[in-house]
Amino acid sequence: RTGGCTHTFRINGCEWDTGLHYTSEGMGLPTHRAGALLKFMSRGKQEWKRLDDPYDQVIFPPDQNVSPGRPNYNEYDFNTDHSLGKKLSREILDRIDPGNEFLLKQCEVWMELATIINKGFTALGSKRVTPPFLHFLLSKKVNQLYTLASYSVRDVQYAIFNCGYSISDLYEDCPTAPP
């Protein structure tokens, strides 16, 4: 199974998300929004530890059903070099399923969703330290975060990758993934 907010598991009939175990390197930089908030909220007493590369790795079992001539990689590293952007997504997806434009598009939706959630958490933290008369400036992002947070990661993955949902679709509804 994938880790770090990318899957759910069940214990005693309850569904759980795995939780966040790493975040952006911006948390360690006081000049970035997230880092500035961390520094402010901890009064400068909290330090962020940068993770070594690769900071995560996906390993699949060998797939005996891959057609001859198709890539059959089973290991993918995630590194902190964000300058690669879409090029990295394209490179990884071409190793998994060359030419699958639908998968690439849906991965871009997933990454955009991560950005929206990041901005929502930043707005939520900002709302806690701003005077109430300014809360209206942050309400849209916070409300979007609350809507998205009401769904399980599993259901959102199902909606995006199996049903082709966009982010605006998710603000309206999220289908339940089959068991």
Side-chain angles (χ1 to χ4, degrees):
R1 289 194 161 184
T2 53
C5 290
T6 56
H7 78 275
T8 60
F9 59 94
R10 294 182 188 275
I11 296 178
N12 297 329
C14 296
E15 185 174 7
W16 302 86
D17 291 336
T18 56
L20 185 65
H21 60 261
Y22 52 73
T23 62
S24 75
E25 64 184 318
M27 291 294 285
L29 304 171
T31 55
H32 280 88
R33 177 178 49 204
L37 280 170
L38 176 68
K39 184 176 180 179
F40 174 78
M41 290 189 292
S42 69
R43 296 190 172 104
K45 296 177 183 174
Q46 183 66 45
E47 290 185 26
W48 208 254
K49 181 183 180 326
R50 180 176 166 76
L51 298 174
D52 295 328
D53 283 331
Y55 64 87
D56 204 352
Q57 186 178 56
V58 177
I59 301 173
F60 298 104
D63 188 346
Q64 304 305 317
N65 298 314
V66 173
S67 301
R70 291 281 196 172
N72 195 8
Y73 302 100
N74 69 334
E75 194 173 289
Y76 302 91
D77 290 341
F78 290 85
N79 296 301
T80 55
D81 183 2
H82 302 294
S83 64
L84 298 174
K86 287 186 180 182
K87 178 180 180 265
L88 180 61
S89 297
R90 167 69 75 177
E91 183 180 309
I92 290 171
L93 292 175
D94 279 346
R95 290 176 69 187
I96 297 170
D97 190 358
N100 188 336
E101 294 300 319
F102 175 77
L103 180 59
L104 179 64
K105 178 181 173 277
Q106 296 315 106
C107 284
E108 289 171 356
V109 169
W110 181 262
M111 295 308 290
E112 182 184 350
L113 181 65
T115 299
I116 289 168
I117 290 169
N118 181 6
K119 289 178 180 178
F121 275 111
T122 301
L124 182 62
S126 298
K127 192 172 178 179
R128 293 175 188 246
V129 296
T130 57
F133 72 90
L134 294 176
H135 287 183
F136 74 95
L137 297 170
L138 304 165
S139 293
K140 181 179 178 183
K141 285 183 175 41
V142 171
N143 290 339
Q144 288 173 336
L145 174 68
Y146 286 157
T147 298
L148 296 170
S150 70
Y151 309 135
S152 76
V153 173
R154 183 171 182 261
D155 290 343
V156 172
Q157 286 176 327
Y158 174 74
I160 291 173
F161 293 105
N162 294 76
C163 302
Y165 269 48
S166 67
I167 291 170
S168 40
D169 294 334
L170 287 171
Y171 290 137
E172 300 299 320
D173 182 42
C174 183
T176 302

